[in-house]
Amino acid sequence: MRSFGVLLRRELGAIFLSPMAWTALTFFLAVMGTSFWMLLDLLSRGAERTEGGEVIGQLLGSIFFWLALLIVAPVITMRTIAEERRSGTFEMLMTAPVRDGTVVLAKYTAALLFYAVLWLPTLIYPLTLRLLRPFGAPLDGGALAAGYLGVMLIGAAAIAAGVFTSSITRSQVTAALGAFAIICVFFLAGFLPYIPHGETVARTAHYASGVSHLLDFARGVVDTRPIAFYLINTAWLLWATVRMTEARRWK
Amino acid sequence: MEMREMRRAGRRRRRALRWNAVASLVLAAILAGLLHYLAARHYVRRDWSGVGFYRLSPKTTALLDSLQEDIEATILLKGGHPDLNDVQTLLREYQLRTPRFFVARVDPDRSPARVEALAKRFPITEPNVVIFAAGDRFRIVPEREWIELEPPDPDAPKNQAPRRRAFLGEAAFTAAIQSLTGEEPRVVYFLEGHGEKSIESAEPGFGLSQLARLIRQDGVEARRLPLDETRRIPDDAAALVIAGPRRRLPQPAVDMIHDYLDHSGRVIVMLDSRTQTGLEDMLSRWGVRVGDDVVVDPTRTLTGQELLVGPYPDHPITSPLARYGYSVFYQPRSIEPMGNGEAADRPRATSLALTTAKGWAERDFDARPIRFDADQDRPGPIAFAVAVERGAAGTVDVRLRATRLVVFGDSQFVANRSLTGANGDFFLNALRWVMERHEPMGLAPKSIAEVRLHLTRRQMQALAAFFIIGWPSLFALIGVGVRMRRRH
Amino acid sequence: MGDVTTGQPMIRVSHLTRRYGRAVAVDDLSFEIGRGEIVGFLGPNGAGKTTTMRILCGFLAATSGDVEIAGHDVHRDPIGVRRHIGYLPERCPLYSDMRVDEFLRFRAALKGVPARQMRERVEAVKEQCGLTDVGRRIIGQLSKGYCQRVGLADALVHEPELLILDEPTIGLDPTQIRQTRDLIRSLAARHTILLSTHILPEVEAVCRRVLILDRGRLVASDSTDRLRQLRRGIVRVTAELKTAPHEDPGTAFAVLPGVRTATADKDGEWRRVRLECEPGADPRSDIFRVAVEHGWTLREVRMEENRLEDVFIALTSGGGSSAGETPERSDS
């Protein structure tokens, strides 16, 4: 466990010292800020009828979130393993007395923590909304908490996908593109429940639809099904990542 | 020798390990799939929000959990419909509750073929509906049953949609699902042969074809019943409707109706003024007084011909009508409860439509101008529709069902040309009530709040500058600072 | 430590084979290295040195065969094995975004150096590797030589019993090479060292034993001295001198003790005489004496001593015949 802490500190340091991370944070805040401003614009025109939860849906569950996730998650994760393999530092790392699983888990946790840090500055949005004292339904605290929970769960799985693609290639670009593709497919598949289907397909599609999950979370609905969906996928992807790093020994 | 042995063992071990890696990947995939399968079936769903706009009430969840057969709901709404999101999200909550319920949506603009197929299967009469179907039974819930709009604002621009005030989706949909459960007969017979209005006729003043469509849309079959001495009321009748006979009914027919009522029958009678049908005496035995008069109320009429009804008395039939607005009756006769019995087996009659205190029952049909004569006219409020229920206790009826009867003092209000306002729903609710298929769930409507910010143009510009440029730049600057410190 | 004969060997490799697809990188390799030995791993590029070292550290898995480090099986107990190893990978990859101190502390913690010894250990290896002045520098901005030292410091920081150094002097300038060799030599007292190289002087300068690898096979394993004598070839001596045109210096030299043949260039002012001598013979003083006796002007006498390079070339290029002369001593 000590080596996990040591590795985590090093990974966090590496992330926060890289210009990529700060660029990603700036980009992310610009996108989410645009999303928030558009929400303010909508509310100021008053045309939209909205209840507490729906405001949060617009805030966290809009297309802007997906746009940001599609860019940010691959950027955070692409360097994790691929870069070490390319530069050869992976050899130095993996000949220290640490398990592959510890290394993967530390890298994943660091990326996830950075993802959480991305969201911290967005807490200013609900705060602003409260300060502006809108007429009508106030912000719903429960829905807000659930919305952030959903955002973190989806991010957790997306980052696991990114770490996974980073483990199967030496090229950061390939890793990023792979993660982008996985998240993209997942995002687009999120629209399947909104297209007519047979019952089985529709139910499965709904179980796996990130778009509807996030909207559900953002209106305060916490369901064990999406939670399990993301946790299982995260665990599976991380496990596969460990296997991939182990398999490198045989290659 | 020993060396070779060891070497072979080593090789075998490596190969086994490599196989293990492949096998364990496959196993993990299977395990993940299995976990997904289990997770999709065993779940808890909680609503953390304070509003709980789509939170299902215990009544709905109890009903959904007790479903014995599959129910399929089809949302027939266009893309930009203001209610689409609410309806879809709410019905998805239903679907997520039970594997017995499944909801699909059809966009009429995108898939006209599917609409056509639906129209072949169901008697759809209006564009924005949700169809609930279980086997061959169905219920079509029209838009007006799930949404309450604000009264139109005369100052508002012409083409502005009225603001939505409350969403009643859960009440409407749960009631619809409720009405699909059970195996009661779903045929309502319309008596014919005595000048009654016909469900086959599209004639504006005497035809009921529009009403028949409404009934069919509600999932109930409407059939004609030419009743004479040789014929009885069929066993599969869920209700009998007598829609404004112009001639007197023969006594055997009247007896038969009475007998039917006595054995837990369900009857709706509509009697127009200035007619004698022979049903008046029979109805008095059920606690309903049928007056030979015309009900007028100068405060509730525009031309003197029609009589606007509303507000309504409190009754399961009438309480949902408030949000549809007025219903319009045409020179109805007075239909009043005769004083309710105390015992459970006595019929209990309740007024469904009343004039104000300024109205009265006019006995002189030809008097012009119509005015209140204290010596022969009765002062208001005068009732002209009554619901009667007699409990099943103490009767020989083995099915232990209540008798239900609704009497209207007018049949004109459901004729094709008059089916406006809340008229159709008034009748439909009465029919549902007598058939016991639309018990109000007591589900409160969800009011639709409006969030509005008061921001000037300048303020909006300042907010844009801060949130799109300022706030992100702050973190960019921190990043630059970190890099600078790190350079050496 | 230092005693080769007692206890279990530091490294025991038996029948190690490693394939990349169909290509065989290491082919049925067996050897042992005792505690305290300094062993050179010699071979041309692509001989399988790096692959073998990576297998020893558990970075790669063997296709078959067994590897034990200090009694731990590399496959079954990779973590235990790595605790005993300080590994300097080829080309010395480091986290270029870290400061030297940061990096060494990170590596020390990762390798399980207790927190209270951390400072002491890091300072000690910095001292050892000459890094005291660059502790605050960012690794990416250091020169190649310093990077190598940081890598070496990293390998040393947890006081491993075994050091595995893959081409530790590659890419360094001559001064740096000498410094690195001195450093390695100074480490010899306290560590078992396995270092790979394709440069002969390195092995000659540092190692007491050599393992020679060619195309994945072990072609020789012996002490550096013995290998030097292994190829009992002929000592060549070249002399350049000025004689009268009719004189033949060849015949004069051919009779000297230990000289087998001597041939001289036919003409030219300065004539070159090539002598082939018995092993161990050194006819240089005799040549000088004979030249003085004949009144020849001797400009140069050069003896080409038999060096490891010759052994190396003979063993790796000649194929079977030379290798046959060298029994694999460690494989008992």
Side-chain angles (χ1 to χ4, degrees), chain B residues 123-125 190 192 196-218 220-224 243 270 411-419 424 427-428:
Chain B
I124 305 168
T125 55
F190 278 74
E192 285 199 351
E196 292 94 342
K197 292 186 169 57
S198 169
I199 53 169
E200 309 257 288
S201 167
E203 204 274 333
F206 297 100
L208 298 180
S209 59
Q210 293 290 347
L211 182 70
R213 288 175 75 176
L214 270 185
I215 292 167
R216 291 193 181 112
Q217 181 172 286
D218 214 30
V220 177
E221 202 180 324
R223 287 191 202 149
R224 298 183 307 157
M270 290 179 273
S411 68
Q412 208 41 243
F413 82 107
V414 289
N416 285 340
R417 70 163 167 229
S418 324
L419 218 52
F427 179 86
L428 217 52

Side-chain angles (χ1 to χ4, degrees), chain B residues 144 214 309 312 318 320-329 413-414 418-429:
Chain B
R144 63 176 185 281
L214 270 185
V309 187
Y312 302 88
T318 45
L321 294 179
R323 64 201 164 83
Y324 301 149
Y326 295 107
S327 14
V328 186
F329 283 65
F413 82 107
V414 289
S418 324
L419 218 52
T420 56
N423 285 16
D425 291 290
F426 201 161
F427 179 86
L428 217 52
N429 281 353

Side-chain angles (χ1 to χ4, degrees), chain B residues 314-394:
Chain B
D314 186 33
H315 186 271
I317 295 174
T318 45
S319 43
L321 294 179
R323 64 201 164 83
Y324 301 149
Y326 295 107
S327 14
V328 186
F329 283 65
Y330 297 88
Q331 301 195 332
R333 71 201 296 175
S334 69
I335 305 285
E336 289 169 297
M338 281 167 65
N340 287 331
E342 305 76 33
D345 61 340
R346 291 285 301 152
R348 275 173 291 110
T350 318
S351 304
L352 297 178
L354 290 159
T355 66
T356 62
K358 291 192 174 122
W360 69 92
E362 176 65 52
R363 297 202 44 106
D364 186 355
F365 295 115
D366 303 317
R368 290 292 181 276
I370 298 171
R371 55 182 171 75
F372 179 65
D373 297 315
D375 50 332
Q376 52 172 344
D377 298 341
R378 283 183 300 114
I382 301 289
F384 46 95
V386 158
V388 180
E389 181 170 25
R390 191 185 70 175

Side-chain angles (χ1 to χ4, degrees), chain C residues 162-180:
Chain C
L162 173 62
L163 282 175
I164 296 182
L165 314 174
D166 196 354
E167 304 271 11
T169 57
I170 199 167
L172 300 183
D173 64 41
T175 324
Q176 291 170 333
I177 290 177
R178 204 174 53 244
Q179 288 171 344
T180 308

Side-chain angles (χ1 to χ4, degrees), chain B residues 2-174:
Chain B
E2 193 190 319
M3 219 63 233
R4 189 172 300 160
E5 200 91 312
M6 269 177 66
R7 200 184 311 179
R8 202 175 301 142
R11 205 168 293 155
R12 225 178 293 136
R13 194 182 70 212
R14 301 283 190 276
R15 200 170 299 154
L17 276 167
R18 203 185 296 200
W19 247 110
N20 273 352
V22 176
S24 61
L25 262 176
V26 174
L27 270 176
I30 293 170
L31 181 72
L34 199 72
L35 284 174
H36 279 309
Y37 182 86
L38 288 174
R41 264 148 199 83
H42 304 276
Y43 58 87
V44 180
R45 194 173 173 85
R46 292 263 181 280
D47 193 338
W48 289 4
S49 71
V51 188
F53 198 81
Y54 306 103
R55 192 185 296 152
L56 299 183
S57 73
K59 279 177 188 162
T60 302
T61 54
L63 174 66
L64 290 174
D65 292 345
S66 71
L67 284 181
Q68 294 299 310
E69 59 189 326
D70 290 352
I71 291 182
E72 203 181 315
T74 309
I75 302 170
L76 197 57
L77 282 176
K78 289 190 181 189
H81 195 280
D83 303 341
L84 176 62
N85 182 40
D86 290 332
V87 170
Q88 210 162 17
T89 312
L90 179 65
L91 285 178
R92 220 167 41 219
E93 290 289 322
Y94 282 57
Q95 173 177 308
L96 286 168
R97 178 75 199 186
T98 169
R100 288 255 179 241
F101 186 86
F102 177 66
V103 60
R105 185 202 155 212
V106 174
D107 185 341
D109 290 340
R110 290 209 188 154
S111 34
R114 289 182 46 136
V115 177
E116 219 162 278
L118 282 171
K120 269 194 195 125
R121 233 181 112 195
F122 306 109
I124 305 168
T125 55
E126 43 187 313
N128 302 321
V129 294
V130 179
I131 305 162
F132 293 86
D136 57 342
R137 295 190 306 277
F138 61 88
R139 239 326 279 286
I140 298 170
V141 178
E143 183 182 9
R144 63 176 185 281
E145 286 193 21
W146 71 62
I147 199 71
E148 182 178 324
L149 299 174
E150 260 177 13
D153 181 355
D155 301 331
K158 266 268 161 57
N159 48 7
Q160 188 184 320
R163 212 182 76 75
R164 301 165 348 125
R165 185 196 276 165
F167 181 57
L168 301 91
E170 193 184 359
F173 302 147
T174 300

Side-chain angles (χ1 to χ4, degrees), chain C:
Chain C
M1 273 219 265
D3 191 349
V4 184
T5 51
T6 59
Q8 61 195 157
M10 194 69 222
I11 301 176
R12 191 212 303 269
V13 173
S14 50
H15 302 289
L16 180 68
T17 298
R18 165 72 202 200
R19 295 194 188 87
Y20 294 101
R22 301 187 66 182
V24 182
V26 177
D27 189 6
D28 198 28
L29 186 66
S30 300
F31 62 87
E32 280 185 12
I33 293 175
R35 287 173 194 268
E37 277 196 273
I38 303 183
V39 177
F41 221 13
L42 198 60
N45 291 325
K49 293 175 301 209
T50 299
T51 301
T52 307
M53 289 182 146
R54 285 178 167 175
I55 292 171
L56 294 183
C57 301
F59 183 67
L60 287 178
T63 309
S64 69
D66 290 298
V67 176
E68 272 180 32
I69 307 278
H72 301 266
D73 186 294
V74 165
H75 190 81
R76 279 195 220 103
D77 184 14
I79 306 294
V81 162
R82 290 179 205 167
R83 270 189 228 290
H84 291 86
I85 298 180
Y87 177 50
L88 176 72
E90 198 180 354
R91 283 176 291 120
C92 189
L94 303 168
Y95 288 137
S96 55
D97 57 346
M98 291 180 101
R99 295 184 196 282
V100 172
D101 283 346
E102 273 174 0
F103 178 74
L104 289 177
R105 277 200 296 272
F106 158 64
R107 295 293 292 176
L110 196 61
K111 293 169 171 185
V113 172
R116 50 198 158 69
Q117 291 173 27
M118 176 84 67
R119 205 190 164 77
E120 179 198 326
R121 278 308 303 155
V122 170
E123 288 309 315
V125 292
K126 273 165 67 185
E127 177 81 48
Q128 245 175 324
C129 302
L131 292 168
T132 6
D133 298 334
V134 294
R136 294 282 302 151
R137 296 277 298 278
I138 287 169
I139 292 174
Q141 296 168 353
L142 291 176
S143 70
K144 176 77 186 137
Y146 270 111
C147 279
Q148 202 76 15
R149 291 191 208 179
V150 175
L152 210 51
D154 164 32
L156 287 168
V157 76
H158 60 304
E159 296 187 280
E161 290 171 65
L162 173 62
L163 282 175
I164 296 182
L165 314 174
D166 196 354
E167 304 271 11
T169 57
I170 199 167
L172 300 183
D173 64 41
T175 324
Q176 291 170 333
I177 290 177
R178 204 174 53 244
Q179 288 171 344
T180 308
R181 279 185 201 158
D182 291 344
L183 177 58
I184 292 169
R185 228 177 277 124
S186 75
L187 295 169
R190 299 172 56 193
H191 306 268
T192 308
I193 299 176
L194 174 63
L195 72 90
S196 81
T197 181
H198 60 273
I199 304 160
L200 269 303
E202 195 143 301
V203 182
E204 285 182 311
V206 180
C207 303
R208 285 176 217 144
R209 210 177 120 206
V210 186
L211 300 171
I212 299 179
L213 228 58
D214 181 45
R215 279 160 284 175
R217 293 176 159 275
L218 187 68
V219 290
S221 157
D222 215 323
S223 76
T224 322
D225 295 336
R226 278 182 61 94
L227 271 174
R228 210 174 277 157
Q229 295 168 14
L230 241 183
R231 183 171 147 99
R232 302 191 170 277
I234 294 148
V235 178
R236 288 189 187 84
V237 178
T238 313
E240 248 179 277
L241 67 174
K242 195 188 271 178
T243 63
H246 62 274
E247 287 176 303
D248 178 13
T251 41
F253 291 142
V255 298
L256 291 174
V259 177
R260 284 178 179 167
T261 59
T263 46
D265 291 347
K266 287 280 181 291
D267 38 40
E269 194 189 356
W270 291 96
R271 301 178 69 182
R272 183 172 294 176
V273 186
R274 289 194 181 76
L275 298 95
E276 292 195 353
C277 312
E278 303 278 328
D282 187 353
R284 282 176 295 184
S285 53
D286 290 334
I287 290 169
F288 188 72
R289 187 176 43 81
V290 169
V292 171
E293 281 170 5
H294 285 80
W296 296 331
T297 316
L298 188 63
R299 189 167 66 174
E300 186 192 4
V301 177
R302 188 171 69 246
M303 185 157 98
E304 290 164 21
E305 204 187 352
N306 197 359
R307 298 187 309 166
L308 263 174
E309 243 141 7
D310 305 302
V311 179
F312 184 79
I313 291 161
L315 289 174
T316 55
S317 64
S321 66
S322 309
E325 292 172 16
T326 60
E328 295 182 16
R329 314 189 118 241
S330 60
D331 189 6
S332 46

Side-chain angles (χ1 to χ4, degrees), chain B residues 239-318:
Chain B
L240 176 69
V241 178
I242 303 165
R246 311 296 311 167
R247 295 193 298 276
R248 182 173 270 278
L249 272 69
Q251 195 54 42
V254 174
D255 289 344
M256 202 179 289
I257 293 164
H258 178 73
D259 195 45
Y260 171 68
L261 270 174
D262 213 21
H263 289 85
S264 307
R266 278 85 206 289
V267 177
I268 292 179
V269 187
M270 290 179 273
L271 298 174
D272 292 305
S273 54
R274 306 181 213 216
T275 50
Q276 289 297 316
T277 58
L279 290 167
E280 292 80 2
D281 285 346
M282 190 273 283
L283 287 174
S284 71
R285 277 187 272 166
W286 288 92
V288 178
R289 183 195 296 122
V290 180
D292 187 16
D293 47 24
V294 177
V295 177
V296 286
D297 186 344
T299 66
R300 293 263 167 217
T301 185
L302 295 171
T303 66
Q305 294 292 307
E306 77 285 355
L307 186 59
L308 302 182
V309 187
Y312 302 88
D314 186 33
H315 186 271
I317 295 174
T318 45

